[in-house]
């Protein structure tokens, strides 16, 4: 198996879960996925905050934790902090599913 296929196999669950909320191309690195999500959250912050809040609610991103992250990382753009929290929560879900599907 080539290196690219290994990376894609590892990213497939993350891409699969994220694609339920966002229309993103299947990307080859987590950094590219993050970049697209930062762009998407920046757009939502500026244009459709209710949709963004709905996505975060459905994804079960902890609101209190997110507020603390936004305050403690105030030097970063909010979209980056939100994207990172979203990705972290999705990864937690993937790990939980792996753990209980054995």
């Amino acid at each position: 198996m080539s290196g690219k296929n290994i990376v894609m196999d590892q990213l497939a669950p993350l891409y699969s879960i994220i694609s339920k909320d966002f229309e993103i191309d299947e990307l080859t690195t987590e950094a590219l996925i993050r970049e697209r999500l930062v762009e998407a959250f920046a757009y939502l912050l500026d244009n459709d905050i209710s949709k963004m809040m709905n996505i975060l609610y459905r994804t079960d991103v902890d609101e209190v934790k997110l507020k603390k992250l936004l305050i403690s990382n105030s030097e970063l753009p909010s979209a980056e902090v939100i994207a990172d929290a979203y990705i972290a929560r999705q990864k937690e879900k993937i790990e939980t599913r792996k753990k209980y599907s054995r």
Side-chain angles (χ1 to χ4, degrees):
M1 184 178 288
S2 75
K4 183 177 179 181
N5 288 339
I6 292 170
V7 171
M8 288 308 296
D9 286 347
Q10 293 170 345
L11 288 177
L14 182 61
Y15 172 78
S16 175
I17 202 166
I18 288 172
S19 66
K20 293 176 184 177
D21 295 317
F22 297 98
E23 291 180 25
I24 59 171
D25 297 328
E26 196 162 348
L27 301 168
T28 56
T29 68
E30 189 173 328
L32 287 173
I33 291 172
R34 180 184 182 274
E35 185 179 316
R36 294 300 181 276
L37 288 174
V38 169
E39 292 169 2
F41 280 114
Y43 174 84
L44 290 171
L45 277 167
D46 290 341
N47 298 291
D48 198 346
I49 197 131
S50 63
K51 182 176 181 178
M52 183 192 75
M53 296 304 292
N54 188 343
I55 289 169
L56 294 174
Y57 177 78
R58 280 187 292 108
T59 312
D60 198 28
V61 172
D62 186 288
E63 185 178 341
V64 173
K65 187 176 176 181
L66 181 58
K67 284 180 183 178
K68 288 179 183 176
L69 286 170
L70 286 165
I71 291 167
S72 66
N73 293 292
S74 60
E75 72 283 355
L76 294 174
S78 296
E80 285 188 31
V81 177
I82 295 167
D84 289 341
Y86 174 87
I87 291 169
R89 180 63 186 122
Q90 300 299 35
K91 285 181 173 182
E92 288 173 5
K93 286 182 182 179
I94 292 165
E95 288 306 311
T96 300
R97 290 174 185 166
K98 280 183 191 175
K99 182 177 176 181
Y100 291 104
S101 69
R102 294 178 185 163

